[in-house]
Amino acid sequence: MGKPLSTLVFLLLFINCVYSWKKDEFRNCNQTPFCKRARSRKPGSCSLIAADVSISDGDLVAKLIPKESSQENPAKPLVLTISAYQDGVMRLKIDEDQTLAPPRKKRFEVPDVIVPEFLNKKLWLQRLKEERIEGGLVISSVVYLSEGYEGVIRHDPFEVFVRESGENGKKVLSLNSNGLFDFEQLKENKEDNEDWEEKFRTHTDKRPYGPQSISFDVSFYDADFPTKGPGVDDSEPYRLFNLDVFEYAHDSPFGLYGSVPFMTSHGKSRGSSGFFWLNAAEMQIDVFSPGWNNEYSSVLMLPTDQKRVDTLWMSEAGVVDAFFFIGPKPKDVVRQYTSVTGTSALPQSFAIAYHQCRWNYRDEEDVYNVDAKFDEHDIPYDVLWLDIEHTDGKRYFTWDKMLFPNPEEMQNKLAAKGRRMVTIVDPHIKRDESYYIHKEASEKGYYVKDSSGKDFDGWCWSGSSSYIDMVNPEIRSWWAEKFSYENYVGSTPSLYIWNDMNEPSVFNGPEVSMPRDALHHGDVEHRELHNAYGYYFHMATAEGLVKRNDGKDRPFVLSRAFFPGSQRYGAVWTGDNSADWDHLRVSVPMTLTLGLTGISFSGADIGGFFGNPDTELLVRWYQLGAYYPFFRGHAHHDTKRREPWLFGERNTELMREAIHIRYMLLPYFYTLFREANATGIPVIRPLWMEFPSDEKTFSNDEAFMVGNGLLVQGIYTQRAKHVSVYLPGDESWYDMKSGSAYKGRAIHKLEALEDSIPSFQRAGTIIPRKDRFRRSSTQMEYDPYTLVIALNSSKSAEGELYVDDGKTFEFQQGSYIHRRFTFSNGRLTSSNAGPATAGDHKYVSECTVERIILLGLSTQPKTALIEPENRKVDITWGPLLLRGGPGPSVLTIRKPNVRIADDWTIQIL
Amino acid sequence: MKFFGLLDLLLFGCFILLIHGITESAASSPLKDPLLGVSPEDENYFKGFSTSSMIKCKDGSKKFNKSQLNDDFCDCSDGSDEPGTSACPNGKFYCKNAGHSPLILYSSRVNDGICDCCDGSDEYDGKTKCLNTCWEAGKTARDKLKKKIATYVEGVTLRRQEIEKAKLAIAKEEGELSKLKDEEKILKPLVEKLKERKEQIEKVEEEERLRIEKEENKKKEAEEAEKKETKAEDIEHAHDDIQDNIGTVDQPPQDENIGEDTESLSREELGRRIASRWTGEKTDQHEEVDASSPDKDHQNTDELSNETNYDEEDNAYTSEEDEHKFDDDDDDDSKDQVDDFGTDDHYNPTPSQKLDSDDESDFSDISGTSGSSWLEKIQKTVKTMLDAVKLFQTPVNISDAAHVRKEYDESSAKLSKIQSRISSLTKKLNQDLGPEKEFYSFYGQCFETKQNKYVYKVCPFKQATQVEGYSTTRLGSWEKFEDSYRVMQFLNGDKCWNGPDRSMKVKLRCGLKNELTDVDEPSRCEYMALLATPALCVDSRLKELQDKLDSLNKQLPQLHDEL
């Protein structure tokens, strides 16, 4: 019994409460011609067969032709290419044949998403093996894929799949097994009575190139049907179309701000596999219930001995450029996927601390007051944000001179306390001749054009606006220059950027976005790249922040829209959520899903953007949000102020504690961010990623893992008395607050505490902390560490610590400290997990370990011996947590004061 | 360019750290002063070590020995063993700040690279060098404190005077009130008697009139009939006019609702409308935005909220109605005036007060020292009058009748003035004017301040408003004093679009004159303002300030010793 998790990015969840979401302003499948057409097609209706199958230039190539092509209308063949890459990735491309009469237009392939290193991992296919399957009736061509796996193309009807090696090897993933493949080739002219235009509400899409959609079915094997949450309307496919949805429903399959057309499946018996279609046009994906195609079982030759989930992928334009990931572990799939689209960038250390935002901190005085209040209440924060109102009339890169007369001084004052600021820069440019960005962009022709070739003019915050054409690298480079200190007047090195509205949001456009027939660089229609627009904008902005420091420092850019690869450029957040418990609840699956698609650095607005959270909800949100990879409080300008000190002494204390938990765990988080950067494995993970064979974890998305060592369970209801938490695996778990041990593989009903949500350290792990609290993470740099060792049943544990300068790209040259801590046989060892020699780029740190906490030790030793120094230190009873009142006492090695950079062992005597 | 500077600085920081780290790990020595960061109140607590090798953490959770005191490791979760280091997150660090006032810091500020104590004692690990700025800072603080004390000294006097004045005024008003009540007691029956008499006279007159009319009717029947015909026509015309008028007024105002049907909108309107979902602004009445004129545009998108437009329209509508009312109901005019008198009580003259001079002067004839004489006069007159016209003759003596009527009109007008004065005085005296009635002078007063294009007007015990041009937005009605009479609260103002009702809090500070400043809107539609007033210059606070200054001054010689 396994279940695949649809990793179609964003919200798959629960409960109906659609308030303001204007459903009828957005298209459903029936109002979307290509979706409607694709869904009306019957299984087995694809008549294409593979011909001329051969090996060429290390790829398998073939032509797809109709089995019976008619004389009067000879169909043009399609070209199919299969390539294999290291580490179990198969790539399938299908496009029109460019060698034939040149088509009217080349179909769009999404540039700058696949990382160059991936292309170097290509395996040069040498050999093609032909085999007859299904009783010798059907010919298939087989190529090697990776150890134990093969890629297969069946010729008639054509089907592409990955299987375990051998003629009877089990299928893993397949395409067109249900015969739903369809590829609308571009035509020269309209056929009679064919209407290419499309109307939706007041907008008309001219569609000058006619229908050009692609659809096909993909099957995931040894996986069960994914349970969609109750309330999700099964009649609608998941829609991948980046949209700015006002007061979005948390339970809808409709499109939101970002799209990642990547699906992971997971089952107990075989494990995980994944499928990714690199395509930036509107996509719709159906996940079928079992038995949906029973009436066609005679025409289809599907294996009956394997459980299977069928899906239908439909896109409005583009080509087939699909990737099959063989897994078999959940982490393998993420690693394989991020080998194609890149891993998460390593953020600067300040960026993973707490951010304070509001639409809007009104003026400099307001900024200073808020900053001072944090200090007054001993609440740390690292970044203060300014929303759109800080600009001069929504002209980005400018300041309202009345409200922010001295922006540099303001930033410097905050920087003196180690704090940063963020300003917002959106892609809509005010059409104002006196605005230099507009002037340059219009003179250079850098705007997206409308279908008539004029600069597209849409309505957004700045009123009548045009949109920078970010798909063009030259324009991105021009945009990046705008972030230099000379160009962005009033910016300082402590200023970072927030990209909003980059779906793009166009208030008076179709579905609050850009018309699909708008034109980009190279005559690419907007429909072909819509979902990637925000990605390119994010990319260009991040480039700008790198450039302004001559490539020395890591950028920080938060983006609302995202696409495969966004993880390389910065953080994303779940957009304009609402201050209600359902949105708190859904924030977990949303951020977990983002993590599965490689976008590790994400979070939801603490408190909910729209509406006023009651105090309890706000406190619970801080308690949960402290574990989001991206941790930011934000609020709409119609809401009441909600800075943590505004709700009475007790609630201030509760929120302060929640934020302090995050600061305490920063060394652990930073180590996890580095892991995500190196391997793609997300910072927060669904339980099944760590416990892939524990079925009870498969549908659990209310608890999650932070790394492999911490399990966090949110509290999602008001005045909760109790909270149930499932602790997976065979080992026990230690309550992070009380230190008490809980059995694994069991549901525990716990008392819901006011001052924290349940969190547990997994036995067998070592978690690094910094227990001293400062104004911001900046001042914690030299503070000593605490190691918390939670012993498993064999009295051993291990963990890691990664440290670098927290700022520059030097770590890429090996300038970092990476330690592995192992505890076994009563001895803790610190060894190097990084490069043996870092050469000139050695990162130096004098930081020491001030405290080692031992959980699960049955003896009560009094001393420990540190080697090689041969120094004895005391073991005493000390507090598990230094804050939050008198807590339990735990065995503590007092002041070992060993340097984190060194090799050492500590023997418990 | 600046950036390189910063980088250098950081590298430099690392370098220092390196050296420091070596010395520290080699020495690993306790602090030079084991009692660093200990406040004077806690010195006794640590004297425990003179009698015992271990003392208890303040929260009793544990014991620690002398070597654990300030050894940069947190043994007590309440921080009692680490007053001088950052090891305990719950700890507090005390800096003497000789020459200035002592400061208690969160432990998190110790050795964090930022100078918090003016004597620099919080940064002792060598990574950050802090200059001792206590002398300058102390001087500035003392000067500031002295100024504040000076204000208080003067303010306390002013406050006392205010309170004295208030006591006198209240006593006077209470006296007046009881006198007015007495007068009312006397005048009321008189007016009733006069009314009775007046009605009797009128009855007789009416009978007389009817009799004469009958006779004349007979005589002029023919002509009358003719006249009537023409008159009827006129009336009909007039009636039509009125109906027309009503018709115009009754027309509902333009539909304010944002229709969900966006089909018929221009592209720009559509853009504005969608934007308005996030901003909560109304879009219907947006003026055309001229993109080429940045200033105007800025105003339009940022400041010119549509609520204001809406209000203006609302006002326009009301005033139109008022005008109409005025035309129709001339008779009600006098009643309106009486109402005004009752509600708008502007009795106490102050600089920023606006007197309703009509009411005040009107009233002067019944108030004041001559009060009793006019009442006696009336009593006498009425008595004579009633005696004189004991028996009615028919027809009524015309001059007598006029006399009675006049007397009735005058005395009933006086009675209603007295009654409304009684009600306003009662209302005023029932207000919470502060424990010492120090807010007496606020009654009937308004304080104004202009901020950008808005004029904020705070009228204690009444309401707070925001005025922009001809448009007034109510920020709240008087609710109460809060926070021991340090805050005035106004609630239930005009509703914000998509938000709460507006409200305002006015924080009160000691100052030499009543002055409204610093209006702010920290949350949307929740306003804040500061009001300086002598009413807040309390003796006890003055004493606190003086004590503080004394203690600051005491530290001075010590500082000189150190220097």
Side-chain angles (χ1 to χ4, degrees), chain B residues 443-457:
Chain B
Y443 198 87
Q445 211 178 158
C446 292
F447 309 106
E448 281 188 10
T449 181
K450 193 170 180 328
Q451 223 147 301
N452 300 327
K453 56 184 183 174
Y454 297 114
V455 174
Y456 293 91
K457 198 169 158 187

Side-chain angles (χ1 to χ4, degrees), chain A residues 165-393:
Chain A
S165 297
E167 277 191 37
N168 299 315
K170 284 188 162 186
K171 280 187 175 178
V172 176
L173 283 166
S174 68
L175 184 143
N176 203 30
S177 306
N178 285 290
L180 288 171
F181 182 88
D182 187 59
F183 194 117
E184 295 174 329
Q185 301 206 33
L186 292 171
K187 283 179 283 192
E188 284 306 314
N189 300 303
K190 271 186 219 179
E191 281 162 31
D192 296 340
N193 65 42
E194 201 181 21
D195 186 11
W196 285 7
E197 271 191 8
E198 251 179 72
K199 283 200 168 69
F200 180 68
R201 292 170 73 89
T202 56
H203 299 277
T204 303
D205 172 5
K206 292 207 180 75
R207 291 223 304 174
Y209 299 99
Q212 47 179 306
S213 75
I214 301 172
S215 53
F216 51 77
D217 58 281
V218 176
S219 302
F220 297 85
Y221 294 82
D222 290 315
D224 275 331
F225 181 67
T227 36
K228 287 189 199 173
V232 168
D233 182 2
D234 276 324
S235 64
E236 278 301 312
Y238 291 105
R239 185 178 188 205
L240 274 64
F241 193 63
N242 293 1
L243 290 174
D244 182 5
V245 181
F246 176 71
E247 295 189 351
Y248 65 77
H250 61 275
D251 59 348
S252 161
F254 275 64
L256 259 188
Y257 312 101
S259 304
V260 182
F262 168 48
M263 191 182 281
T264 303
S265 118
H266 180 67
K268 190 183 178 183
S269 57
R270 197 201 80 95
S272 300
S273 60
F275 179 82
F276 165 51
W277 184 6
L278 177 55
N279 184 305
E282 174 175 6
M283 200 180 288
Q284 304 259 10
I285 302 172
D286 262 318
V287 179
F288 294 119
S289 316
W292 69 282
N293 55 356
N294 277 354
E295 56 175 305
Y296 302 98
S297 54
S298 55
V299 275
L300 305 170
M301 283 157 292
L302 291 160
T304 50
D305 57 332
Q306 275 184 286
K307 277 180 282 185
R308 193 185 75 245
V309 169
D310 294 328
T311 57
L312 173 61
W313 298 58
M314 306 162 262
S315 172
E316 191 188 0
V319 299
V320 177
D321 190 1
F323 298 79
F324 298 69
F325 307 111
I326 59 172
K329 291 257 186 294
K331 289 181 182 175
D332 295 328
V333 175
V334 185
R335 200 187 58 244
Q336 287 153 3
Y337 168 77
T338 52
S339 75
V340 178
T341 60
T343 59
S344 280
L346 181 62
Q348 289 200 33
S349 47
F350 80 83
I352 66 169
Y354 177 61
H355 300 253
Q356 182 66 38
C357 186
R358 174 177 180 83
W359 177 22
N360 214 82
Y361 287 121
R362 204 177 36 246
D363 52 21
E364 288 175 7
E365 197 192 340
D366 199 1
V367 166
Y368 292 136
N369 278 337
V370 171
D371 178 69
K373 286 280 183 188
F374 271 100
D375 286 344
E376 190 184 318
H377 295 278
D378 201 23
I379 301 172
Y381 88 96
D382 270 59
V383 193
L384 197 78
W385 293 51
L386 298 178
D387 209 323
I388 48 176
E389 313 298 337
H390 82 277
T391 59
D392 174 11

Side-chain angles (χ1 to χ4, degrees), chain B residues 179-236:
Chain B
K179 207 179 84 191
L180 286 171
K181 279 183 177 164
D182 291 345
E183 287 171 2
E184 187 199 16
K185 238 181 247 166
I186 299 164
L187 192 55
K188 217 172 164 181
L190 286 181
V191 170
E192 264 155 34
K193 273 180 196 158
L194 279 170
K195 191 180 171 196
E196 212 173 284
R197 174 54 51 89
K198 189 185 84 147
E199 280 165 3
Q200 281 172 348
I201 292 173
E202 276 166 359
K203 204 177 157 196
V204 174
E205 279 178 341
E206 180 68 4
E207 279 163 8
E208 178 69 11
R209 193 182 61 78
L210 284 173
R211 192 183 55 79
I212 297 168
E213 205 175 77
K214 236 183 209 172
E215 283 170 12
E216 283 186 358
N217 274 0
K218 264 183 196 169
K219 254 192 264 169
K220 300 176 184 174
E221 211 166 23
E223 299 125 288
E224 278 290 313
E226 235 174 82
K227 262 185 194 168
K228 246 183 200 167
E229 240 170 57
T230 25
K231 210 178 180 182
E233 242 168 63
D234 285 348
I235 287 167
E236 228 164 79

Side-chain angles (χ1 to χ4, degrees), chain A residues 25 362 375-376 394 430 508 549 553 576 636 638 640-641 772-775 877 894-895, chain B residues 3 62 71-72 75 86 106 108-110 116 267 277-278 297 302 520-524 526:
Chain A
E25 282 177 20
R362 204 177 36 246
D375 286 344
E376 190 184 318
K394 317 294 186 309
K430 190 176 182 65
N508 57 354
N549 287 319
D553 289 353
D576 298 347
H636 186 275
D638 280 355
K640 286 172 186 271
R641 289 273 169 149
R772 301 189 182 197
F773 302 110
R774 302 295 194 175
R775 266 176 264 242
W877 291 96
R894 197 178 182 281
K895 292 176 82 174
Chain B
F3 180 67
K62 263 187 87 167
D71 71 338
D72 203 25
D75 293 288
S86 62
Y106 294 113
S108 63
R109 313 293 199 251
V110 177
D116 292 282
R267 288 181 22 86
R277 289 182 185 160
W278 279 269
D297 186 44
D302 289 349
D520 197 3
E521 190 185 350
S523 276
R524 204 164 129 88
E526 292 180 2

